[in-house]
Amino acid sequence: MKKNISYTINKRPLAIFLFFCVTLSGLTVRLARLMTGANSLSASYADEKSITLDVSRGYIYDRNLYPLVNNTEKNITAVILNDITRKYFTEGQFGGAEISSSGIMVTFESDKEQEETLFCTNIKTVLRYSDEFLCPHIIGYINSDGKGVCGIEKSFDKILYNASGRIGVKYTANATGGAIAGTGIEEVNDGYNNPSGIVLTIDKDIQAITENALKNSDIKTGAAVVLKVETGEILAISSIPSFNVNNLDKALSDPLLPFLNRALSAYPVGSVFKPFIAAAALENGVSLPDNYFCTGKTDIGNLSFRCYNSVSHGELDINRAICKSCNSYFISLGQETGAEKLHGICSNFGFGKEIRLTGDIKSAEGNLPDEKSLSSPGALANLCFGQGDLLATPLQLASAFNALASNGIYKEPYITKALINENKEEYAYFKSEEPYRAVSAETSEKINSALNLNMLEGTGKQGNSEFFSSAGKTATAQTGKYDSDGKEKLCTWFCGFFPYESPKYTIVVFSENGSSASEECAPVFKRISEGIYFAGIND
């Protein structure tokens, strides 16, 4: 007989097992979907990011297309931040690193070791101004927005700004802005360092010679100008003290006022004006006496005008009068010529007239007393040896002496030459003022002969060179101003040109607070002229 056996099965564990299997399958499907979605999301947010590392500006060239700005290279390296590169930054191996606004790239001055250590991109950029860049008073500078503040930078701001370009890098970024692994950095150049710009008449070698001659002299505040005799072009123009464009705050607090362009500012003139008194006399038929006798002073009414140290120069002609810088001789000439005629001829030499180099760069007018102000015999006498109300700038005196060197032809000085395109081709030229005759060739020849003798035997001997001939005149001008010790402040000058037989360069040297033109300014004239001579510059 068979037994009926019944089995009782517990269904709860089975239910739990089946639920787990279903849930696990669902999670697997959902995870797969999430992963697929994440990849799609990452792909949809991948983007190309770019960072500008530098912005360039149009060039300013010298007459031979040497860049006066943008002439110093600077290497910048761009790196993607990751665990490896962050370690280097943390340990200070990249001193001075700057993290860009995105927080992804880092830029710093690179060197060979850094480039070999990291996978990075090296970018060559240019500095607008080096610490020793030439001609700062004329070139000027730009502000933080890249706009010209003064000088050529301001006068031609639109042209230079329109020639700007950018350089930077680009990389592929994810949704958070971070670089996607495996991607690199690529340089982006959008017209950066475009060579178009403006060409000046400045000769960078002559400018350097002039600046160095001033810096290595006894002149603390002053100026120097070099003109090309043939054209009147400004080959060099320098004012000291100068300033560092990369450290303007220091110049702002300097009591010597380094921002002041003394080459374009007006000062008392002194004896360098005497040749023009002689020129006015000759042009108006007044004979230059060959036997004028100087007693050391000249009395006009109740006024007495003395020669330097009241020294009697004895019998003089024009040559000796220039060499001895005799006040009495020229007072006599001026009285015979008359105020109106003196004013007319001296005006021909540019005295009392502003010289505009660009829209924003111009010399002061100075002051040439007119006939009315010279109606007083004392005022007229003062003018005849460059004193009284007479004021002139170093640039004005350079253009006046340049007219003597040019056989009596006055040429307005200028400093802008041409515009240049991206192919370094000149496409627009600046027109200078039309030259005109200030005095006859015979008049200038007679005066220049005296100026040449002055270099050999007179007050200009310390400016004379044994290698070539020159012509020139010194001056020590009273200012009527006194220092805290009660000593009168003096302006000293040297104005001349070389070579004497066939003049090529006119040079003016000025000291604002001098003591002796022969000891301060004449040696600087010699250094500049010999510097040009030995450099073999042929303009």
Side-chain angles (χ1 to χ4, degrees):
M1 180 175 163
K2 293 182 178 179
K3 290 184 178 180
N4 292 325
I5 301 174
S6 62
Y7 295 92
T8 302
I9 300 175
N10 192 340
K11 297 180 179 180
R12 186 172 180 179
L14 179 61
I16 291 172
F17 174 75
L18 291 174
F19 176 77
F20 176 77
C21 291
V22 172
T23 300
L24 183 61
S25 298
L27 288 173
T28 302
V29 171
R30 183 171 176 79
L31 181 60
R33 288 177 177 176
L34 286 173
M35 292 177 67
T36 303
N39 288 337
S40 299
L41 186 64
S42 177
S44 66
Y45 275 90
D47 194 12
E48 190 173 76
K49 298 287 185 181
S50 62
I51 296 175
T52 297
L53 297 178
D54 194 31
V55 178
S56 65
R57 182 173 164 89
Y59 273 79
I60 301 172
Y61 296 93
D62 87 333
R63 63 189 300 103
N64 299 308
L65 297 187
Y66 175 87
L68 297 172
V69 296
N70 297 350
N71 56 18
T72 303
E73 283 192 351
K74 178 181 179 181
N75 288 328
I76 294 179
T77 299
V79 182
I80 295 178
L81 287 176
N82 55 36
D83 291 341
I84 297 174
T85 56
R86 286 181 188 278
K87 177 177 180 291
Y88 280 92
F89 302 134
T90 303
E91 293 177 355
Q93 294 191 30
F94 298 111
E98 298 178 3
I99 300 177
S100 72
S101 58
S102 70
I104 304 302
M105 309 302 296
V106 173
T107 62
F108 51 87
E109 281 198 58
S110 68
D111 59 32
K112 186 176 181 181
E113 181 180 350
Q114 290 169 354
E115 292 176 26
E116 291 177 349
T117 302
L118 301 173
F119 293 98
C120 53
T121 297
N122 183 47
I123 309 294
K124 288 191 178 296
T125 63
V126 292
L127 291 175
R128 183 67 175 174
Y129 314 112
S130 65
D131 287 342
E132 295 82 24
F133 97 108
L134 298 171
C135 217
H137 288 92
I138 292 297
I139 291 176
Y141 54 91
I142 58 177
N143 61 20
S144 58
D145 296 325
K147 292 289 187 177
V149 173
C150 59
I152 295 295
E153 293 281 27
K154 181 179 180 181
S155 296
F156 296 92
D157 182 64
K158 186 175 182 180
I159 291 172
L160 297 171
Y161 186 80
N162 288 342
S164 63
R166 296 175 181 271
I167 194 168
V169 291
K170 64 181 180 180
Y171 63 97
T172 305
N174 57 28
T176 63
I180 294 178
T183 61
I185 309 169
E186 183 180 342
E187 178 182 319
V188 178
N189 189 323
D190 182 17
Y192 183 77
N193 210 19
N194 181 343
S196 62
I198 183 169
V199 182
L200 304 183
T201 62
I202 295 293
D203 183 296
K204 65 102 175 174
D205 293 322
I206 296 178
Q207 181 70 32
I209 289 167
T210 302
E211 290 188 12
N212 289 332
L214 274 178
K215 289 176 184 176
N216 295 317
S217 73
D218 294 330
I219 300 173
K220 302 304 178 185
T221 57
V225 178
V226 181
L227 301 185
K228 183 177 181 179
V229 171
E230 182 184 357
T231 61
E233 293 169 281
I234 299 174
L235 300 177
I237 183 166
S238 179
S239 177
I240 58 168
S242 188
F243 58 90
N244 183 347
V245 174
N246 298 317
N247 188 6
L248 295 177
D249 289 342
K250 182 179 179 181
L252 285 170
S253 60
D254 191 331
L256 296 180
L257 306 176
F259 287 115
L260 176 64
N261 189 344
R262 291 170 167 86
L264 303 181
S265 303
Y267 300 93
V269 176
S271 294
V272 289
F273 193 68
K274 290 173 179 174
F276 306 103
I277 298 297
L282 286 170
E283 289 295 296
N284 287 284
V286 176
S287 298
L288 303 183
D290 290 331
N291 56 355
Y292 177 86
F293 192 86
C294 169
T295 63
K297 69 172 185 175
T298 296
D299 294 325
I300 299 178
N302 60 350
L303 298 175
S304 183
F305 297 89
R306 300 181 181 275
C307 290
Y308 182 68
N309 285 339
S310 299
V311 172
S312 171
H313 295 126
E315 193 171 287
L316 301 169
D317 61 4
I318 183 60
N319 295 319
R320 294 299 171 187
I322 289 285
C323 288
K324 300 293 184 181
S325 199
C326 177
N327 293 342
S328 297
Y329 185 96
F330 292 96
I331 291 174
S332 176
L333 275 184
Q335 286 179 313
E336 190 172 351
T337 306
E340 182 180 0
K341 293 176 180 178
L342 282 177
H343 183 275
I345 294 298
C346 292
S347 179
N348 286 351
F349 283 100
F351 291 103
K353 299 176 183 178
E354 151 189 302
I355 298 173
R356 187 174 291 272
L357 300 179
T358 71
D360 294 288
I361 307 176
K362 60 184 180 181
S363 79
E365 290 183 1
N367 184 56
L368 176 63
D370 58 19
E371 184 181 2
K372 183 178 179 180
S373 62
L374 295 174
S375 58
S376 160
L380 178 59
N382 269 315
L383 177 68
C384 292
F385 58 99
Q387 291 288 172
D389 295 330
L390 178 68
L391 298 172
T393 71
L395 182 59
Q396 284 175 320
L397 277 164
S399 62
F401 271 80
N402 200 69
L404 292 176
S406 300
N407 294 315
I409 303 294
Y410 181 88
K411 301 159 185 174
E412 186 89 358
Y414 63 102
I415 201 166
T416 50
K417 190 179 180 200
L419 297 180
I420 194 168
N421 63 23
E422 62 274 9
N423 297 318
K424 282 195 170 185
E425 299 168 337
E426 295 181 356
Y427 67 90
Y429 298 88
F430 296 95
K431 185 179 180 181
S432 60
E433 296 292 328
E434 193 69 27
Y436 61 84
R437 181 162 291 284
V439 292
S440 68
E442 293 77 16
T443 291
S444 62
E445 182 181 356
K446 191 168 186 64
I447 293 170
N448 292 348
S449 178
L451 294 174
N452 172 240
L453 185 65
N454 184 51
M455 301 298 288
L456 301 172
E457 301 178 9
T459 60
K461 285 190 292 185
Q462 294 192 55
N464 192 46
S465 173
E466 62 180 295
F467 303 103
F468 49 83
S469 60
S470 54
K473 181 75 182 75
T474 58
T476 300
Q478 295 175 285
T479 66
K481 299 177 181 179
Y482 297 83
D483 61 21
S484 57
D485 296 325
K487 185 178 180 181
E488 186 174 18
K489 296 180 178 180
L490 302 173
C491 290
T492 56
W493 300 83
F494 190 98
C495 305
F497 51 86
F498 82 99
Y500 164 64
E501 294 83 359
S502 180
K504 290 185 177 180
Y505 305 97
T506 297
I507 303 172
V508 166
V509 181
F510 164 70
S511 177
E512 183 181 19
N513 293 293
S515 57
S516 169
S518 296
E519 296 177 3
E520 295 159 344
C521 299
V524 177
F525 173 88
K526 182 178 181 179
R527 290 192 197 104
I528 295 173
S529 58
E530 288 189 344
I532 295 171
Y533 176 81
F534 286 116
I537 299 169
N538 293 306
D539 270 296

